[in-house]
Amino acid sequence: MKLGIVGLPNVGKSTLFNSLTKAGALAANYPFATIDPNVGVVAVPDERVNVLTDLFHSKKTIPATIEFVDIAGLVKGASKGEGLGNQFLANIREVDAIVHVVRCFEDGNVVHVDGSIDPKRDIETINLELLFSDMEILERRAAKVIKQARNDKSLQKEAALLERLRPFLEDGHMAKTFECNDEEEEAIFRTYNLLTAKPVIYAANVAEDDLSDDGASNAHVQAVRELAKSENAEVFAVCAEIEAEISELDDDEKQMFLEDLGLSESGLDKLIKASYKLLGLISFLTTGEDETRAWTIKQGTKAPQAAGKIHTDFERGFICAECVRYEDLVACQSIAAAKEKGLVGLQGKEYVVQDGDVITFRFNV
C-alpha cells in the first residue's frame, strides 16, 4: 500500500511524515527503507504476527508494509511550478490514496500561509492544485488522442471520454465523482492516474488538548468531518507534535505514554485503520518455523489470487488452501491440534479469503 501525504506549508505535514516513518521503522530482518528523502516504508503494526512468531518460533517476522510519500512544498500555484510542489506532484500519481494533513490548531508562533486557520479554504486550495495538475495531464493526452482518432478508430472511445472528462474537471468537479459509461471507458479512465480520483484520508492536526475526545470539541475538526462526509473520505484527529514524541519511544514506553494521555492508539495506528477501511483491505497470515508474515489483499479476494500475492507459481498451480482462523490456531497452540478439532478447512478456488485467515497453500507447477 502506498499513501501520498499532502498539505499546505506549516500544517504539520513533514513533522507527521517524519514521526510516522520513524515510529513504524521496520525491524532489522526487513530493513527500514528510505528510497529517497521524501519516501519512507513502515511496518503495519499487527499483534497477530508477533503472537504467531512466538508460537511457531519463526526465524523471521515480516509485517505488512505501507509506503509513505511526502509531497513537499505544495502551495497555491504548485501545479504551475510555484514552490517545490510541481516536481513532486508526479510522485503521487501512483499512490493508492492521499493523506491530506489539515491544520486544526491555533498557535500564534506558527504562521499560516494564508494568515488564519480555515480548514475548508485550505482543503480547497490543495484540491485546486490537484485539479490543475490533472487538467494539464488530460490536455496533453487530448492533444494527441483527439487528433489521431480522426484516422484511428481504436482511439475514438478515448477521444469521446476526454471530450466529456475535460470540461467536467474544468467546472471544478473532482475526477472521483465522474461517471464512466461502461467498463471499457472505466479502464481507460484508470490509466490516467488522476490525483482527484484518489481516495482521501484527512489528518486533522490538532493541539494535544483536543486529542482525548478525538477532536470532537474542535470546530475546525468538525468542519473537516462535514466536508469529508460529502466526499466519502475518512478523517482522523492527530497531534503531529505528540506523534514526534511517540516516535522516540520503545513499545513499552509508547504504551505508557499513550495511556497517560488517555489514548488507546497512536496516530500511525489510526491512519493504518483508516487506510485499510477506505481501500477495503484485509490481511491474511502465513506462519511456520522459517517465517511468519502478513499479506495485504483486497476484501473479496479469492484463494488463488491471494496465493498469487506470495508467488505467481502458487496461483498458477493452485490446488487448495488449508485455512484456520487466527483465534482458533492460537487457542489450539498448533496446526495439528486445530486439525484434530476440525478447525482447519480445505478451501478451493472459489473460497473468499477472510481477515485473519492463517493459510498454507497447496500447489503443483
Side-chain angles (χ1 to χ4, degrees):
M1 178 162 54
K2 195 170 181 179
L3 303 177
I5 303 182
V6 302
L8 291 170
N10 294 345
V11 296
K13 179 176 59 66
S14 292
T15 303
L16 185 62
F17 170 78
N18 291 336
S19 56
L20 290 179
T21 50
K22 191 173 179 183
L26 294 167
N29 56 21
Y30 198 111
F32 170 70
T34 301
I35 298 158
D36 59 45
N38 67 316
V39 179
V41 179
V42 305
V44 173
D46 190 338
E47 185 57 29
R48 299 174 300 189
V49 178
N50 301 327
V51 171
L52 291 177
T53 293
D54 292 341
L55 186 58
F56 287 86
H57 309 292
S58 306
K59 293 177 188 141
K60 280 198 294 186
T61 307
I62 304 178
T65 60
I66 294 182
E67 188 173 312
F68 288 107
V69 185
D70 182 29
I71 310 304
L74 265 195
V75 293
K76 201 174 284 186
S79 58
K80 300 297 179 194
E82 292 294 323
L84 296 170
N86 198 34
Q87 70 193 70
F88 289 124
L89 279 169
N91 292 2
I92 51 172
R93 292 228 167 259
E94 303 305 319
V95 302
D96 299 301
I98 289 172
V99 180
H100 188 157
V101 184
V102 188
R103 179 171 168 178
C104 294
F105 65 90
E106 303 278 353
D107 186 343
N109 296 318
V110 183
V111 179
H112 190 289
V113 286
D114 287 326
S116 62
I117 311 302
D118 185 342
K120 196 162 179 284
R121 177 202 59 213
D122 294 353
I123 289 169
E124 283 170 359
T125 298
I126 295 290
N127 283 349
L128 267 178
E129 294 311 316
L130 300 182
L131 259 179
F132 290 148
S133 183
D134 282 349
M135 281 152 59
E136 196 180 311
I137 291 281
L138 293 180
E139 285 299 328
R140 287 204 299 267
R141 183 66 188 159
K144 184 179 176 183
V145 170
I146 292 170
K147 187 178 176 183
Q148 291 179 349
R150 295 186 193 118
N151 303 312
D152 185 348
K153 283 188 176 179
S154 67
L155 290 173
Q156 286 176 0
K157 183 93 176 178
E158 183 178 2
L161 169 64
L162 287 164
E163 294 283 18
R164 286 170 46 236
L165 182 55
R166 284 162 63 216
F168 184 82
L169 295 194
E170 284 162 11
D171 286 342
H173 301 297
M174 307 287 272
K176 69 179 80 172
T177 61
F178 182 80
E179 291 186 12
C180 292
N181 288 329
D182 52 41
E183 285 183 15
E184 190 185 347
E185 215 174 62
E186 178 75 40
I188 298 168
F189 176 83
R190 279 199 301 270
T191 64
Y192 301 142
N193 263 333
L194 298 176
L195 298 176
T196 60
K198 308 276 182 197
V200 174
I201 301 161
Y202 290 107
N205 190 13
V206 299
E208 182 185 328
D209 294 346
D210 287 325
L211 267 185
S212 57
D213 67 352
D214 202 33
S217 55
N218 182 314
H220 298 312
V221 176
Q222 294 317 307
V224 175
R225 287 202 166 113
E226 282 301 312
L227 189 98
K229 205 182 291 179
S230 67
E231 296 181 359
N232 289 323
E234 290 287 317
V235 182
F236 73 101
V238 64
C239 176
E241 282 190 354
I242 292 293
E243 291 303 312
E245 290 182 47
I246 289 173
S247 70
E248 301 289 340
L249 306 173
D250 63 32
D251 286 346
D252 290 339
E253 290 174 324
K254 196 181 293 182
Q255 201 50 50
M256 286 170 59
F257 185 69
L258 287 170
E259 284 170 12
D260 287 346
L261 289 170
L263 303 174
S264 59
E265 56 189 355
S266 69
L268 179 60
D269 294 333
K270 284 184 184 178
L271 175 52
I272 288 166
K273 277 185 184 173
S275 307
Y276 271 62
K277 184 180 172 187
L278 186 71
L279 297 171
L281 301 174
I282 59 169
S283 294
F284 73 89
L285 307 150
T286 54
T287 191
E289 199 176 306
D290 287 338
E291 72 172 36
T292 292
R293 186 164 183 165
W295 304 86
T296 305
I297 55 171
K298 283 264 189 193
Q299 270 175 340
T301 299
K302 291 183 178 178
Q305 287 68 51
K309 284 285 285 186
I310 300 173
H311 199 287
T312 50
D313 285 350
F314 284 28
E315 182 175 359
R316 199 167 70 246
F318 179 87
I319 298 170
C320 68
E322 283 187 14
C323 299
V324 57
R325 297 294 302 145
Y326 163 78
E327 295 81 3
D328 291 338
L329 180 55
V330 172
C332 294
Q333 291 289 291
S334 74
I335 295 280
K339 279 182 177 175
E340 275 179 29
K341 292 190 175 181
L343 297 171
V344 179
L346 285 181
Q347 307 294 350
K349 291 182 176 179
E350 293 306 307
Y351 176 71
V352 176
V353 175
Q354 304 298 305
D355 185 58
D357 276 351
V358 182
I359 306 180
T360 303
F361 291 105
R362 303 293 176 205
F363 66 102
N364 181 29
V365 177

